[in-house]
Amino acid sequence: MDQNKDKNRTISVLLVDDEKGYLNVLSNRLSKRSIHATKAFSGTQGIQILRKHDFDVVVLDLKMEDMDGIEVLKIMKKMVPDLPVIILTGHGSQTAAREGMAQGAFDYLSKPCELQELMDKIRDAHKNREPL
Amino acid sequence: MEHVPEDRHIFYQVLTRKITMLIVIVSFFPMLLTTGILFSRFNGAYADKVRAHISELVQKHTQNIDTFLAEKTGNIRFMAQNFNPRQQSAEAFLKQNLALLKKEYGDVFTDVGLVDDKGIQFAYEGPFNLKNADYSSAQWFLMAQDQSVYISDVFAGLRGHPHFIIAVHLQGQDSHYILRSTINFGAFNSLVENIHLGKTGMAFIVNARGSLQTQTHVDLLPEVIQSVPKPKDFNDKATVFIKKEDNTGREYVCVAAMFKNIDWMMVFHQDLDDAFRDLQSTKWLTLSIFTLGCIAIVFVAFALPRNIVHLLSSADKKSEVMNRQVVESGKLATIGELAAGIAHEINNPVAIMVEEAGWIEDLLEEEDLKQCENLDEFTRALRQINTQGRRCKEITHKLLSFARKTDSTINDVQVNDSIREIVSLTGQMARYNNVIIETRLNEGIPYIRISPSELQQVILNLINNAIDAMEKTGGTISIETKISHIENKHLVIVIQDNGPGIPRDNLARIFDPFFTTKPVGKGTGLGLSICYGIIEKMNGKIDVQSEVGAGTKFRIWIPFQEIEEQTT
């Protein structure tokens, strides 16, 4: 089926999080599931990578040492307005989540989350972006 | 009973007493002083005025009578000078002159007579048959011998009723006579008798020996007549004023004045109360006003401080409750921040642990581990890590949600969700105390606009109280939500337990600040009063029903307006 085909296509994802341990294991697991993950260990790094490469989806942490996730989100949205960004954060503040959504984030997930749930969201985001 | 600390209670008592004292001192003593001074001044001035008035009256009448006597004496002297026995017989002279006098003065002169030096009245004109009457031994005759003019005291004499005589000495060529005239006592008496003042004020005349010379319309006590001033008391003064008490205890005043033409004395007599009647009524009026003033001051001095201190104490209580509320919510906010920090710090490592376990699972799938004896155990352990990781996540999410709710910002709240959250938070403690929490939540309840954290604070407090009450016995707490349509739309939350209940005495004071039945150090007595304040702020209502042995039921009404249909 078309949908299955779509599901199996490699999606390129940029993961931005300053938790190196988390990013490593997450990218490994995603890659194993046909999602090509690129890691950025800080907000600045994430923006730099995005300048050079195209991604289908960005997964972004909100609380990073160098930059606030919301700021990163704003910059990324300026660079690629239709880029879907999924917020994945350990900071459970709904205010921050709401602000993220207001700034154009695609969805919101809190850590720790089920891998399947994250993958579903990534796929949704990607599907949403692709013109039908 | 006051629910204030003992030292505060004493402070209020001292404050009440101080204000009372101050009011009494500041208003009572000046009033006392003013009234006293004014009254004593008025008293003095009024007494002086009364004395002056009576003295003037007495002097005026004394002068009148003096003038009367001088005139009548002058009449007789003039008559005497005109007598010439050679030209006219004595009888004819007397008849003619008496007729003239009567014509001029009416009935003042009763009769006239001529008495020779032996005391025989040889000529007489008048209504009595007194010709040849012998006056040789009469006192007036003896007194008149040495004086050119003599006015006798009042006496009965030969005719048997009171009268007095004016006698003028006449020196003839070969002998001397006395021309005497009797003055009509009634005419004279009326001059004195008509002096009236007040109810008891009257005048009379006494002679030098203190015998009464006029008639009075009341009987005077002899001691009153005895006590009139003596001529020596005058010391060149026109009048003498004395104040005395008769033997019946009645006080009276006497004002006396001497006559010029005769050693008689005009005396005015009046009861003291009567003379100073106006002063007396003023005294009573002043006293009444003063007494009323005192009562008013005493009333104000006692009532006002009580009211003020009562207001002060309730204001103090309110501010204390507010302070505690601020402290409590500050505490909660701090705990909230701490919880948020911890949750975030834990979430990241837990996420890594869970993902790493997942990664091992992924890798295990790739390996050929059919020979591996412990494969099942590996799988179980990895699943366990996953499960526990999820449990950690639940805990941290609860902490975070608690942290979110500690502000009083108003939001659209689904009350049922708030209640569920609280129930899940308190579930552990309830289980520990053998308490089961049941919920019957009406799913039709809309979002309402309130502060979620404050609502949770109220519900948490009520649940905690119920758990505390059933600590020993265990029991059931049931939480119900529904919608009431009475008056306006209200959300109703009923929290009911089947614990020991609240005694009737305590029930009335349950929302009072600082009222607690918990042991010292365990309860502040503020929980329910804060709840009350919160619900009141929401324009809601909270009440309590309780029966000892059966349980306690709290009901909360929160008004809402169904304006927005929005859901998330």
Side-chain angles (χ1 to χ4, degrees):
Chain A
M1 273 169 76
D2 258 11
Q3 218 177 349
N4 272 347
K5 223 194 241 171
D6 188 47
K7 230 180 185 176
N8 294 334
R9 228 205 77 200
T10 310
I11 302 172
S12 65
V13 178
L14 175 62
L15 303 176
V16 189
D17 197 327
D18 60 349
E19 280 284 342
K20 278 186 186 172
Y22 184 66
L23 221 51
N24 288 335
V25 67
L26 190 65
S27 75
N28 286 343
R29 294 195 76 190
L30 287 174
S31 301
K32 207 172 175 338
R33 285 163 176 80
S34 306
I35 292 175
H36 182 258
T38 306
K39 297 172 277 184
F41 298 112
S42 69
T44 331
Q45 204 188 351
I47 294 163
Q48 281 167 357
I49 295 173
L50 190 65
R51 260 191 207 127
K52 292 175 189 156
H53 307 280
D54 285 336
F55 293 95
D56 295 323
V57 178
V58 173
V59 175
L60 179 64
D61 186 17
L62 275 186
K63 211 177 176 189
M64 286 175 292
E65 270 174 25
D66 67 330
M67 270 178 99
D68 184 62
I70 298 288
E71 288 306 311
V72 179
L73 172 67
K74 281 183 194 168
I75 295 167
M76 285 179 166
K77 279 302 222 183
K78 245 182 220 168
M79 288 161 68
V80 190
D82 68 337
L83 179 71
V85 177
I86 296 165
I87 291 167
L88 175 62
T89 179
H91 193 272
S93 160
Q94 278 187 347
T95 329
R98 241 180 264 145
E99 203 188 333
M101 300 299 284
Q103 293 299 328
F106 176 76
D107 211 338
Y108 167 87
L109 276 173
S110 61
K111 280 188 213 171
C113 73
E114 295 287 329
L115 186 66
Q116 193 55 51
E117 203 184 346
L118 177 63
M119 281 172 57
D120 289 347
K121 291 261 192 268
I122 289 171
R123 288 209 178 93
D124 282 353
H126 177 236
K127 210 172 92 187
N128 225 39
R129 195 188 184 192
E130 291 279 290
L132 289 172
Chain B
M1 213 178 95
E2 297 281 336
H3 314 303
V4 286
E6 190 57 26
D7 56 342
R8 186 69 67 80
H9 192 70
I10 291 168
F11 166 74
Y12 290 139
Q13 277 183 337
V14 171
L15 188 66
T16 312
R17 220 173 300 142
K18 274 185 181 167
I19 300 175
T20 307
M21 295 276 283
L22 207 65
I23 292 176
V24 167
I25 290 168
V26 168
S27 46
F28 190 73
F29 288 106
M31 191 179 88
L32 191 73
L33 229 64
T34 314
T35 315
I37 290 170
L38 281 181
F39 186 73
S40 99
R41 289 279 166 95
F42 174 76
N43 205 7
Y46 190 85
D48 286 348
K49 189 189 139 226
V50 169
R51 283 165 73 150
H53 176 65
I54 298 174
S55 295
E56 196 187 318
L57 183 91
V58 169
Q59 267 177 287
K60 198 179 92 191
H61 284 89
T62 309
Q63 273 169 14
N64 278 351
I65 292 166
D66 253 336
T67 311
F68 175 86
L69 289 174
E71 194 184 66
K72 302 310 158 222
T73 313
N75 291 145
I76 302 303
R77 282 173 76 173
F78 180 74
M79 188 178 148
Q81 277 165 16
N82 285 340
F83 178 55
N84 188 347
R86 286 186 197 136
Q87 287 175 358
Q88 205 176 9
S89 74
E91 264 81 14
F93 168 76
L94 291 180
K95 191 172 183 174
Q96 185 195 351
N97 277 287
L98 184 63
L100 278 172
L101 286 172
K102 286 206 182 224
K103 190 182 169 194
E104 196 63 34
Y105 300 109
D107 226 9
V108 172
F109 295 94
T110 307
D111 59 8
V112 284
L114 280 166
V115 182
D116 65 16
D117 54 358
K118 306 239 172 9
I120 305 299
Q121 183 162 260
F122 61 90
Y124 173 79
E125 178 59 35
F128 305 104
N129 186 18
L130 290 175
K131 190 169 179 183
N132 296 323
D134 183 4
Y135 291 117
S136 58
S137 55
Q139 200 187 357
W140 70 265
F141 179 74
L142 297 173
M143 296 294 285
Q145 291 294 316
D146 308 328
Q147 295 167 41
S148 59
V149 178
Y150 173 72
I151 303 169
S152 77
D153 288 343
V154 177
F155 65 107
L158 296 171
R159 62 196 75 178
H161 55 84
H163 65 285
F164 70 95
I165 284 165
I166 298 175
V168 176
H169 221 96
L170 283 176
Q171 188 61 55
Q173 278 180 335
D174 44 2
S175 59
H176 61 263
Y177 323 100
I178 287 171
L179 174 62
R180 58 157 284 273
S181 174
T182 307
I183 301 294
N184 181 346
F185 181 72
F188 174 72
N189 198 50
S190 67
L191 291 175
V192 179
E193 211 177 24
N194 290 337
I195 303 172
H196 286 298
L197 201 62
K199 283 179 185 163
T200 56
M202 56 161 187
F204 56 88
I205 291 172
V206 292
N207 65 9
R209 290 180 304 283
S211 333
L212 204 58
Q213 299 299 304
T214 50
Q215 280 181 336
T216 54
H217 58 275
V218 286
D219 288 337
L220 282 170
L221 294 165
E223 67 196 60
V224 172
I225 299 160
Q226 300 289 300
S227 71
V228 300
K230 302 290 172 282
K232 62 178 167 48
D233 296 336
F234 279 85
N235 291 332
D236 295 336
K237 284 185 286 182
T239 54
V240 170
F241 187 98
I242 57 164
K243 199 164 87 179
K244 283 210 166 157
E245 193 178 319
D246 64 20
N247 58 8
T248 61
R250 218 160 52 166
E251 281 188 304
Y252 62 90
V253 290
C254 266
V255 182
M258 291 296 290
F259 291 106
K260 279 185 195 142
N261 296 312
I262 184 169
D263 57 354
W264 288 354
M265 193 189 289
M266 168 78 116
V267 180
F268 177 82
H269 175 272
Q270 191 174 16
D271 282 356
L272 191 73
D273 287 349
D274 186 32
F276 293 96
R277 198 175 51 223
D278 286 348
L279 189 64
Q280 210 67 14
S281 62
T282 309
K283 199 191 274 179
W284 283 117
L285 186 70
T286 314
L287 202 64
S288 314
I289 293 170
F290 179 74
T291 312
L292 285 176
C294 287
I295 292 169
I297 288 172
V298 169
F299 178 75
V300 169
F302 282 91
L304 192 68
R306 263 162 202 259
N307 281 345
I308 292 172
V309 171
H310 182 72
L311 287 176
L312 193 70
S313 96
S314 49
D316 277 357
K317 267 191 212 169
K318 268 185 202 162
S319 84
E320 181 105 354
V321 171
M322 271 166 73
N323 281 345
R324 297 298 274 262
Q325 218 165 336
V326 168
V327 170
E328 291 280 307
S329 47
K331 249 193 242 168
L332 286 173
T334 315
I335 294 167
E337 274 168 35
L338 191 68
I342 291 168
H344 187 243
E345 290 309 312
I346 287 171
N347 276 347
N348 274 318
V350 168
I352 297 170
M353 274 160 58
V354 170
E355 291 309 329
E356 292 287 6
W359 183 233
I360 292 171
E361 271 182 310
D362 291 352
L363 294 180
L364 280 179
E365 280 171 16
E366 286 177 10
E367 300 292 323
D368 180 18
L369 289 170
K370 278 176 190 138
Q371 304 303 317
C372 183
E373 283 177 23
N374 293 325
L375 180 63
D376 288 349
E377 198 53 27
F378 286 148
T379 321
R380 191 205 54 77
L382 288 169
R383 216 168 287 138
Q384 179 72 335
I385 292 174
N386 219 327
T387 313
Q388 295 311 317
R390 224 177 295 133
R391 201 172 148 197
C392 282
K393 181 185 170 178
E394 265 173 44
I395 295 169
T396 54
H397 276 214
K398 267 184 210 164
L399 276 175
L400 282 168
S401 107
F402 175 69
R404 274 204 309 278
K405 306 294 183 185
T406 49
D407 57 73
S408 62
T409 42
I410 287 173
N411 272 323
D412 294 337
V413 178
Q414 174 49 257
V415 174
N416 288 347
D417 289 348
S418 293
I419 290 174
R420 279 191 197 103
E421 218 168 297
I422 291 291
V423 169
S424 99
L425 261 178
T426 49
Q428 186 63 38
M429 188 167 76
R431 273 192 297 282
Y432 182 74
N433 288 293
N434 286 327
V435 173
I436 300 160
I437 304 181
E438 294 173 351
T439 50
R440 285 201 303 279
L441 307 177
N442 180 336
E443 294 306 329
I445 287 174
Y447 279 74
I448 62 170
R449 219 159 242 279
I450 48 168
S451 155
S453 79
E454 286 183 343
L455 179 72
Q456 286 192 335
Q457 198 181 342
V458 172
I459 295 168
L460 187 65
N461 207 301
L462 295 176
I463 293 178
N464 280 342
N465 280 352
I467 293 174
D468 283 348
M470 299 188 290
E471 202 173 29
K472 290 172 190 156
T473 54
T476 309
I477 299 172
S478 86
I479 304 173
E480 192 185 348
T481 54
K482 52 191 177 186
I483 294 171
S484 146
H485 292 277
I486 303 166
E487 289 176 29
N488 294 315
K489 276 195 171 175
H490 282 85
L491 161 72
V492 185
I493 304 170
V494 183
I495 298 175
Q496 190 165 13
D497 68 50
N498 58 359
I502 303 160
R504 185 179 278 272
D505 285 352
N506 295 346
L507 207 58
R509 284 150 43 193
I510 200 158
F511 294 113
D512 286 0
F514 309 110
F515 175 75
T516 181
T517 54
K518 290 178 184 172
V520 178
K522 250 204 121 182
T524 57
L526 281 172
L528 282 176
S529 104
I530 290 171
C531 289
Y532 191 87
I534 289 173
I535 298 295
E536 229 178 31
K537 206 171 76 182
M538 294 175 179
N539 293 322
K541 213 170 76 180
I542 180 167
D543 81 353
V544 58
Q545 294 172 345
S546 187
E547 202 175 311
V548 175
T552 305
K553 186 198 244 176
F554 280 91
R555 291 184 298 177
I556 298 167
W557 287 266
I558 303 168
F560 66 89
Q561 284 165 339
E562 217 167 355
I563 34 168
E564 50 253 301
E565 291 280 299
Q566 72 194 66
T567 50
T568 44

